[in-house]
Amino acid sequence: MPERNAVSWTTMISGYVKGEEPLVGLKLFKEMKSERKVDPSMDTVVAVLAGCANSGGFYFGVSLHGYVKKVNLNEKNVVLTNALMDMYSKCGYLDVAVKIFNEMVERDVLSWTIMITAYAFHGKGKQALQLISELLESRVAPNEVTFLSALSACSPERLLVEGQRLLRKMVQCYGFKPKIEHYGCVLDLLGRAGLLEEAKMLIEEMPILPDAVIWRSLLSACLIHGKLDLAEVAGKKVIELEPDDDGAYALLWHMYSSTNRHEDVVKIRKLMRNQKVRKRPGCCWIEVNGIVHEFLAEDRLHHADNDFYWILESISEKSN
């Protein structure tokens, strides 16, 4: 483009963030700032904050918050405040997110949903349920995503009864039709409680065809509670629906191996070869001096790899 304005930059940054490439979006924002031709708009800041939230770029997000204060962008704007709250909560600073939420002059349904999701993300189910109770008493109407966030918050603390009650309220009082994600939350609660037959019955009675996520949830619960016959059924369903899912093969392989079912171990390996399934490398991000770096397992392409491995070897030598 011969000339770029704030809309051009924001569109590209937002596209990368929504396309699950937040690091590229953050890099593009730095390029925009370095050119010093266009000032970021409110929409630009919101898009970049989303990128920080999705990549764990806390210091990048904090510096952006400082920029908001410096140029006197409207901090009371609901969209901007929601983005700041989301960034802080996803970067691990729940207390800051709570402070922003409590100081909000105006809240929309997304504000409530972000805060409930934040409590869920940090494993605080009871606080999430308290918050949705306050929401239901307010003038703001909840939506299906709000209920989904509250249901997901029930899992870490195994609040099965509360989760089931919440689902009923969603259907009976607000007329929402549960989606597969809502059923998935209840299934997870049943699995954590060890109620595997009830979980299987829920899958069979669902008015929606179960996807691989549903079966994978049942598979994990069955392995945890030692229900290996049902785990095998669930694992085969996952492979049937997602033949490229390396995790399902690995779980079944481990189950067969631990129970000395050597013929089944061989069959799983052969099936993986035939499907050309390869284990996906692990991935992590780390922020150093405001720059977010991405690392893959056994990846030696990062420009600072030699330095990292030298430090790791030094630590290993000293520990021995």
Side-chain angles (χ1 to χ4, degrees):
M1 292 178 70
E3 187 176 344
R4 302 166 180 167
N5 59 18
V7 176
S8 312
W9 286 101
T10 303
T11 301
M12 289 302 299
I13 292 168
S14 181
Y16 278 117
V17 171
K18 290 178 180 177
E20 299 184 357
E21 293 191 55
L23 299 185
V24 181
L26 299 185
K27 185 178 178 181
L28 204 60
F29 177 71
K30 285 191 172 184
E31 185 182 330
M32 174 188 179
K33 290 281 287 177
S34 66
E35 288 190 2
R36 298 184 178 181
K37 293 180 180 178
V38 180
D39 290 327
S41 66
M42 178 82 74
D43 291 335
T44 313
V45 171
V46 169
V48 177
L49 284 170
C52 294
N54 294 343
S55 64
F58 171 68
Y59 294 106
F60 201 120
V62 170
S63 68
L64 199 56
H65 193 180
Y67 171 81
V68 168
K69 294 176 181 291
K70 182 180 177 181
V71 301
N72 293 319
L73 279 177
N74 184 10
E75 279 192 86
K76 293 183 180 180
N77 178 280
V78 175
V79 177
L80 176 59
T81 310
N82 287 345
L84 284 167
M85 188 165 55
D86 188 48
M87 184 275 292
Y88 280 111
S89 69
K90 286 181 179 175
C91 288
Y93 290 80
L94 178 62
D95 55 336
V96 181
V98 171
K99 184 174 183 293
I100 292 172
F101 179 79
N102 289 337
E103 293 176 353
M104 289 180 75
V105 177
E106 180 187 355
R107 298 170 183 156
D108 60 11
V109 65
L110 184 57
S111 311
W112 289 91
T113 302
I114 288 172
M115 198 62 246
I116 292 168
T117 304
Y119 280 127
F121 185 76
H122 289 270
K124 298 185 179 294
K126 291 175 183 175
Q127 288 91 327
L129 292 179
Q130 175 61 36
L131 199 60
I132 196 170
S133 295
E134 293 176 20
L135 167 61
L136 298 181
E137 292 173 4
S138 73
R139 295 181 180 179
V140 179
N143 57 31
E144 293 148 298
V145 180
T146 314
F147 279 104
L148 179 61
S149 297
L151 281 170
S152 67
C154 295
S155 287
E157 296 191 56
R158 304 187 180 191
L159 304 173
L160 173 60
V161 174
E162 293 84 347
Q164 291 174 321
R165 186 185 301 132
L166 195 61
L167 186 68
R168 284 195 298 272
K169 183 175 287 189
M170 184 186 98
V171 176
Q172 296 171 4
C173 300
Y174 291 88
F176 291 125
K177 190 176 181 180
K179 296 183 178 178
I180 196 163
E181 293 85 0
H182 298 97
Y183 286 113
C185 289
V186 177
L187 179 70
D188 183 58
L189 284 167
L190 291 169
R192 288 172 185 260
L195 302 173
L196 302 177
E197 289 302 325
E198 287 85 344
K200 181 172 176 286
M201 192 180 303
L202 175 65
I203 294 175
E204 292 171 347
E205 294 177 353
M206 278 168 43
I208 309 169
L209 283 174
D211 61 7
V213 176
I214 291 289
W215 287 112
R216 196 179 291 113
S217 178
L218 181 62
L219 168 61
S220 299
C222 289
L223 290 174
I224 289 170
H225 294 284
K227 189 77 171 177
L228 301 185
D229 54 340
L230 190 52
E232 185 174 21
V233 172
K236 288 180 177 179
K237 284 287 186 181
V238 174
I239 292 172
E240 180 184 323
L241 292 167
E242 291 186 359
D244 294 331
D245 178 21
D246 60 309
Y249 292 96
L251 288 172
L252 284 177
W253 180 89
H254 180 74
M255 183 185 78
Y256 292 145
S257 180
S258 62
T259 53
N260 297 318
R261 293 172 59 177
H262 302 298
E263 289 185 8
D264 290 316
V265 169
V266 173
K267 286 179 182 177
I268 280 289
R269 285 179 174 171
K270 186 177 179 181
L271 186 58
M272 287 185 73
R273 281 198 302 270
N274 292 341
Q275 296 286 352
K276 297 181 180 179
V277 176
R278 303 188 72 176
K279 191 177 184 303
R280 294 181 183 88
C283 173
C284 68
W285 290 335
I286 185 171
E287 185 179 17
V288 180
N289 297 327
I291 300 173
V292 181
H293 300 265
E294 181 180 40
F295 297 91
L296 297 174
E298 300 181 9
D299 178 20
R300 301 298 293 261
L301 298 178
H302 193 280
H303 66 86
D305 258 352
N306 291 333
D307 297 330
F308 292 136
Y309 280 101
W310 179 81
I311 292 170
L312 289 172
E313 287 170 4
S314 301
I315 293 172
S316 179
E317 289 174 2
K318 288 180 180 179
S319 62
N320 292 331

